[in-house]
Amino acid sequence: MKGFLQRVFNKRSETPITYDEAKEMAASPDADVRGKLAQRHDTRPEILYFLATDQDSSVRRHIAANEATPVQADVLLTDDTDDSVRGSLAEKIAKLSAGLSPNESDKLRRLTYEALDKLVRDQAVHVRQVISETLKDIADAPQPIIQQLARDAESVVCGPVLQYSPVLTEDDLLEIIEGSSGRGALSFVSRRRNVGEKLADAIAASSDKDAISHLLGNKSAQIREETLDQLIDRAPDYPEWHEPLVERPSLTPTAAGKLARFVAENLISVLERRKDLKKDQLEAVREVVQRRIASGEFEKRDDVATDAKKIKTEKEKGKAANKPDPKSDKKGVVGDDDEEEGEPAFEKALAMHAKKKLTDQEVAKALAANDVKFARASLAVLAGISPDAVTKVLNTHSAKGVVSLAWKAGLPADLAVKIQVKLGHVPPSQTLNPRSGNQYPLSEDDMNWQLEFFTGMATSGVR
């Protein structure tokens, strides 16, 4: 109704002209005169159609934006050579598209839909972006059009509908996440209002640290306790997650206690001010903090940061002088922490295995203590495959791959569930559970194939 009244008002604000006057203006050599005619709402449809082929792009742009332009002219303009003309047309048609579907029986509505469908595939990013921005929060926008926009390769096109469109269902979004190719799609989805548990699980299971950071910062996102615990276990490696984690609307005492063990000093006070923790729970958090302070950890962090800066400066000076870095290892890499910290865990696992002490109970204890490095090393030793292959399996977050790894290591099927969650970061809702009698849920052929696939990846150096 509002749009109708505006059009009526606009019509009344125009001084009426005769048909002959309109034809004279359309034939004028002055583009400004033809442009004024192209903007009028009382210009006859046949004249507007004629102006849709005007040699001046500014005139055609006015025709494209004019709601009085007949749909046949709109269809003609979808092939216009000027991006700005098609952009103006896209904005107008998108505004008129509410309630349209591919199966319109009315000819004019069907032509309007076909024009929009063509523009949503336009080669110019700007044209597709205009449609996305216009339709992003329209509840009855055409579903196929929204689906096309959501899968667009350009983030400026897919982003608005992924973040805001009410047309996209949870199943749509899960499918898009599964087929995401690193264009920031997960980050847009993670910022949606009221992200559900399934979506949160899927985002948390991904390797997209930025999307996970946005998810944690989204106060309306429904993140299950188990999923949040998994992210906290991974968080020491991702400082950008720390602040949104300590500011989550709800934290269990266990989660708060874990966070207190590694977040920076400036975030400790945020934990201590939380209202959802009881007095005794807050005291437990403070005890952890006091132990860290007493150990001088925070001061040590400052020292380490200073030393790291010195080493970096010295290294850069050495490169400038074309001298070898005395702190480089035999591979020429400075401070390979993964190797320095990973080797002792692997050696420990080897030594225990040689003494027949590397049991499933030891692996379970490592998982309970969150000793990820020893648990990973134990899997490699028990399964008799390389640590690189173990890393490949776990980093895919594949339930089948992790189950196959646990089977190869000779571990009980129920322990394989914990390994999926703790080491493979498989969402609890997607884990493969044992069959009756604690039997593995996959066939031996299937598990052998999984392991051969990942071992081959590690051998070939595929990342």
Side-chain angles (χ1 to χ4, degrees):
M1 178 61 75
K2 182 179 178 182
F4 173 78
L5 290 175
Q6 287 176 336
R7 289 196 292 274
V8 170
F9 178 80
N10 288 335
K11 286 181 181 179
R12 289 177 178 174
S13 67
E14 296 168 346
T15 303
I17 58 174
T18 66
Y19 185 56
D20 287 338
E21 288 173 329
K23 288 200 297 183
E24 186 177 342
M25 291 176 69
S28 172
D30 189 340
D32 287 340
V33 173
R34 302 196 305 276
K36 288 178 181 177
L37 180 64
Q39 295 177 70
R40 294 182 66 94
H41 293 81
D42 61 349
T43 302
R44 296 279 289 271
E46 62 269 25
I47 293 178
L48 291 173
Y49 186 88
F50 170 75
L51 291 174
T53 60
D54 196 281
Q55 63 182 4
D56 192 289
S57 62
S58 66
V59 176
R60 302 197 306 275
R61 190 160 56 248
H62 289 312
I63 292 294
N66 192 341
E67 290 184 7
T69 297
V71 68
Q72 293 86 347
D74 289 339
V75 173
L76 184 68
L77 290 171
T78 59
D79 289 320
D80 198 280
T81 57
D82 192 298
D83 290 357
S84 66
V85 172
R86 300 196 310 279
S88 295
L89 177 66
E91 183 174 7
K92 177 186 75 177
I93 291 183
K95 288 178 180 177
L96 300 173
S97 68
L100 284 177
S101 75
N103 305 312
E104 294 290 346
S105 56
D106 180 81
K107 181 180 178 181
L108 295 182
R109 284 174 63 82
R110 186 169 67 252
L111 286 174
T112 300
Y113 181 89
E114 289 172 359
L116 181 63
D117 186 55
K118 189 172 183 178
L119 290 168
V120 83
R121 304 168 196 277
D122 196 282
Q123 63 181 1
V125 174
H126 167 67
V127 174
R128 307 195 306 273
Q129 181 182 0
V130 164
I131 299 174
S132 181
E133 290 285 354
T134 305
L135 295 181
K136 66 183 180 183
D137 50 9
I138 304 298
D140 56 349
Q143 200 260 358
I145 300 296
I146 295 296
Q147 291 278 2
Q148 178 71 25
L149 292 168
R151 289 166 170 78
D152 198 283
E154 298 292 337
S155 61
V156 293
V157 179
C158 69
V161 294
L162 286 175
Q163 185 170 348
Y164 298 107
S165 179
V167 175
L168 294 170
T169 65
E170 185 175 64
D171 287 341
D172 291 333
L173 294 166
L174 287 169
E175 184 181 331
I176 289 167
I177 287 175
E178 187 177 344
S180 175
S181 56
R183 57 201 160 88
L186 268 72
S187 287
F188 291 115
V189 175
S190 65
R191 291 196 285 259
R192 287 176 69 92
R193 285 188 59 81
N194 301 317
V195 170
E197 291 180 351
K198 284 186 179 179
L199 273 179
D201 279 352
I203 295 167
S206 75
S207 58
D208 191 330
K209 60 183 179 63
D210 292 331
I212 294 172
S213 185
H214 289 304
L215 177 71
L216 293 172
N218 183 347
K219 300 295 177 64
S220 69
Q222 300 166 34
I223 306 177
R224 296 186 308 138
E225 287 183 15
E226 296 91 334
T227 303
L228 197 61
D229 283 343
Q230 289 179 42
L231 293 177
I232 290 172
D233 288 342
R234 295 166 60 187
D237 294 331
Y238 302 104
E240 63 269 36
W241 296 359
H242 297 184
E243 185 172 356
L245 272 170
V246 300
E247 293 182 347
R248 284 298 303 167
S250 178
L251 280 179
T252 65
T254 302
K258 284 184 179 180
L259 288 169
R261 293 187 181 99
F262 62 80
V263 297
E265 188 173 8
N266 65 307
L267 295 176
I268 293 295
S269 59
V270 179
L271 277 176
E272 292 179 329
R273 290 198 301 268
R274 292 190 64 94
K275 303 295 185 185
D276 56 339
L277 297 178
K278 296 177 181 178
K279 185 176 180 181
D280 59 329
Q281 295 165 349
L282 279 173
E283 285 301 321
V285 169
R286 290 192 183 105
E287 283 181 17
V288 174
V289 174
Q290 289 303 318
R291 285 199 298 271
R292 291 177 68 188
I293 293 172
S295 69
E297 178 185 341
F298 294 124
E299 289 82 355
K300 287 176 186 175
R301 284 188 178 184
D302 292 338
D303 293 341
V304 168
T306 303
D307 290 344
K309 188 177 285 187
K310 287 180 181 178
I311 290 171
K312 184 179 179 182
T313 304
E314 290 171 5
K315 181 182 174 185
E316 289 172 350
K317 286 180 180 178
K319 283 184 178 179
N322 198 27
K323 296 177 181 178
D325 192 337
K327 293 183 180 292
S328 296
D329 61 15
K330 61 185 179 182
K331 295 180 182 177
V333 179
V334 176
D336 192 339
D337 292 336
D338 288 341
E339 283 195 18
E340 290 176 2
E341 294 177 15
E343 285 181 3
F346 189 70
E347 290 170 3
K348 177 184 175 183
L350 280 173
M352 290 180 68
H353 187 56
K355 297 176 183 178
K356 298 184 178 179
K357 292 184 177 180
L358 190 59
T359 62
D360 54 316
Q361 290 88 353
E362 291 297 326
V363 176
K365 282 167 58 179
L367 292 173
N370 205 30
D371 189 349
V372 173
K373 290 179 180 176
F374 179 68
R376 281 175 172 244
S378 299
L379 283 174
V381 171
L382 290 170
I385 61 178
S386 71
D388 282 347
V390 170
T391 299
K392 293 290 182 187
V393 176
L394 297 176
N395 285 353
T396 61
H397 314 305
S398 162
K400 286 187 176 181
V402 180
V403 163
S404 303
L405 179 60
W407 168 76
K408 186 68 173 177
L411 299 172
D414 55 354
L415 185 55
V417 177
K418 294 179 181 178
I419 294 171
Q420 288 176 72
V421 174
K422 279 282 189 179
L423 300 185
H425 303 300
V426 177
S429 61
Q430 298 176 21
T431 56
L432 292 177
N433 297 313
R435 293 175 182 166
S436 59
N438 203 20
Q439 298 295 311
Y440 271 85
L442 303 175
S443 69
E444 289 193 11
D445 287 344
D446 193 1
M447 291 187 283
N448 277 320
W449 184 91
Q450 293 280 338
L451 292 169
E452 286 172 10
F453 174 76
F454 288 111
T455 304
M457 286 175 63
T459 303
S460 63
V462 175
R463 293 186 178 274

